[in-house]
Amino acid sequence: MPGSALDLLSGDAQTFVEKVWASRVHVHHADPDQLVGLLSLDDADTLLTSSAIRTPSIRLAKDGDVLPESSYTRGATLAGKPLTGLVDSRKALALFADGATIVFQGLHRYWPPITRLIAELELELGHPCQANAYLTPPGAQGFAVHSDSHDVFVFQTAGSKQWQVHGPDCVQDIRLDPGLSMYLPTGTPHAARAQDTVSLHVTVGINQLTWRGLVQRSLAGIAAGVPDEHLPAGYLDDPRELAEELAGRLEALAEQVRGLDATAAVEAEVRRFLTSRSPRLAGGLRDVLATDTINDTTRLRRRPGHPCVLLDRGDRIDVLLGDRSLDVPAWLRSALDEVRARRELGPGDLAEHLDPQSRLVLCRRLVREGLLEVVT
């Protein structure tokens, strides 16, 4: 994918972060082939009819109402055990022909091009992201005017959809065609209707982290230290005594708050985010099989959307890899900096930092941990 995920969706990542983020609607004309390549109409067909997709990865809606799962699912067995929620493609297609919108939920968990997009976008924004897709028959509207509790990017990959976007002073009519991407901040009322052909669009939800959440997490340790004791009996008769006691406790807490290390709190937030992403290991089986054959000339590549953040801890380093962290000796710092700086390298490229055995051990481990993949 040329450029970054945020460049693709917004046009210019830096401008978006500085001037658009969380403040206003933004529309960008992207390369249609790049967006269509993320989820085409044929891809949606494959998911619906040939992938054994199950609820809750799919739902159907019509005229603003979510249809009961029983109207488009069936049961089956696998190895003698019952399976429920399997999509009956014949039933789903009949409902679609009758005007129902098909929603593919949580695409980032099972559709590789969207998985890569979301992985990269999360690292650029520092906020958790998810993706749904909406397949809407001609002229239909899946949901009435509504607003979301999170920011969204929407982009069209087939057909066209007419959007009504409600601002403070007016309603904008915006037609999304393949290649068009739109950003809506949290709480922007909107509705969309397919035009004279089938419509397919992807909605990327940004489950934004907030100052309130960061403050609450930073104070959690202090709050947990407050004794969970009974309030004194009889305080209703003389609330002043209780108020005096509370004032003393609040003053003690305020002193602890003043002593908090903001840098350490932010480091903890970074650590929390960069160790709680979903594993993204496409091609991991091939890499595991090739690990023992890696030598100085083997070409290795950074997996897209995988972070590598180094946190120094004296004679140790924490290496944050997205879904986990590694604890390694500090003398590996220069070699890890070299890995972070390169998109592709071989163990031999670390010769000025590590001896032959050490660099093979490090690279093989980074392949096993999913940061690097073997170039074939």
Side-chain angles (χ1 to χ4, degrees):
M1 181 186 302
S4 72
L6 191 53
D7 282 331
L8 175 63
L9 296 181
S10 70
D12 182 87
Q14 183 174 349
T15 299
F16 176 84
V17 168
E18 294 176 354
K19 298 183 178 180
V20 177
W21 171 249
S23 64
R24 62 182 175 87
V25 175
H26 175 72
V27 177
H28 168 58
H29 294 261
D31 179 348
D33 290 341
Q34 291 185 44
L35 292 184
V36 172
L38 294 170
L39 184 75
S40 68
L41 199 57
D42 286 342
D43 295 333
D45 190 324
T46 297
L47 285 172
L48 181 64
T49 64
S50 307
S51 69
I53 196 168
R54 300 172 62 187
T55 58
S57 295
I58 198 168
R59 64 183 168 124
L60 271 69
K62 183 179 179 183
D63 298 328
D65 295 321
V66 176
L67 302 182
E69 293 182 5
S70 59
S71 65
Y72 56 89
T73 61
R74 61 184 177 85
T77 60
L78 180 64
K81 295 185 178 181
L83 291 176
T84 60
L86 280 167
V87 171
D88 186 319
S89 56
R90 191 176 299 279
K91 291 180 180 178
L93 287 170
L95 290 168
F96 174 78
D98 194 41
T101 290
I102 297 173
V103 185
F104 298 97
Q105 301 191 125
L107 270 173
H108 57 290
R109 298 194 181 278
Y110 56 87
W111 190 248
I114 298 295
T115 298
R116 289 192 294 269
L117 178 82
I118 294 301
E120 293 179 14
L121 193 63
E122 285 189 335
L123 294 187
E124 290 188 85
L125 294 175
H127 295 258
C129 299
Q130 63 186 40
N132 296 341
Y134 298 79
L135 180 65
T136 306
Q141 177 173 309
F143 298 94
V145 175
H146 65 284
S147 58
D148 297 315
S149 60
H150 51 262
D151 296 14
V152 299
F153 278 106
V154 294
F155 59 89
Q156 197 76 19
T157 67
S160 61
K161 215 162 194 181
Q162 191 72 28
W163 287 70
Q164 284 189 345
V165 179
H166 296 246
D169 305 314
C170 65
V171 177
Q172 298 182 67
D173 287 315
I174 301 173
R175 180 184 172 109
L176 289 193
D177 296 300
L180 219 60
S181 171
M182 177 170 62
Y183 167 76
L184 302 176
T186 298
T188 304
H190 61 274
R193 181 177 293 277
Q195 298 303 289
D196 54 1
T197 60
V198 63
S199 166
L200 178 63
H201 82 267
V202 176
T203 295
V204 174
I206 305 166
N207 300 310
Q208 65 274 0
L209 302 176
T210 65
W211 280 110
R212 178 185 295 176
L214 177 56
V215 168
Q216 288 175 336
R217 287 186 289 276
S218 300
L219 296 178
I222 292 175
V226 177
D228 196 19
E229 301 170 345
H230 291 36
L231 293 179
Y235 73 87
L236 295 177
D237 293 330
D238 188 4
R240 289 175 300 176
E241 183 175 342
L242 185 63
E244 291 174 3
E245 176 68 15
L246 177 60
R249 291 173 181 260
L250 290 177
E251 181 57 36
L253 289 175
E255 188 62 30
Q256 293 182 63
V257 171
R258 283 190 285 271
L260 278 177
D261 184 339
T263 299
V266 169
E267 181 178 296
E269 182 75 357
V270 170
R271 184 190 303 275
R272 185 185 71 84
F273 187 85
L274 291 181
T275 56
S276 61
R277 315 320 321 132
S278 298
R280 295 168 174 126
L281 298 174
L285 175 60
R286 179 199 64 216
D287 291 336
V288 167
L289 294 173
T291 299
D292 290 340
T293 65
I294 292 174
N295 57 45
D296 261 359
T297 62
T298 303
R299 301 312 294 168
L300 306 173
R301 179 172 53 217
R302 283 281 301 274
R303 285 180 180 273
H306 279 246
C308 181
V309 174
L310 309 180
L311 298 180
D312 294 308
R313 291 191 296 107
D315 62 350
R316 310 292 295 178
I317 299 174
D318 280 344
V319 186
L320 309 186
L321 298 178
D323 66 330
R324 64 184 61 206
S325 65
L326 306 182
D327 176 23
V328 301
W331 54 265
L332 288 174
R333 176 74 195 225
S334 62
L336 288 169
D337 283 336
E338 185 78 19
V339 171
R340 294 178 69 230
R342 291 172 173 258
R343 183 176 183 275
E344 188 174 308
L345 78 163
D349 295 321
L350 303 180
E352 66 176 284
H353 308 288
L354 298 173
D355 63 68
Q357 183 62 26
S358 296
R359 61 184 181 250
L360 285 180
V361 169
L362 175 63
C363 288
R364 288 172 178 174
R365 183 176 186 188
L366 294 180
V367 169
R368 287 195 300 271
E369 299 292 351
L371 177 67
L372 300 177
E373 59 184 353
V374 179
V375 178
T376 57

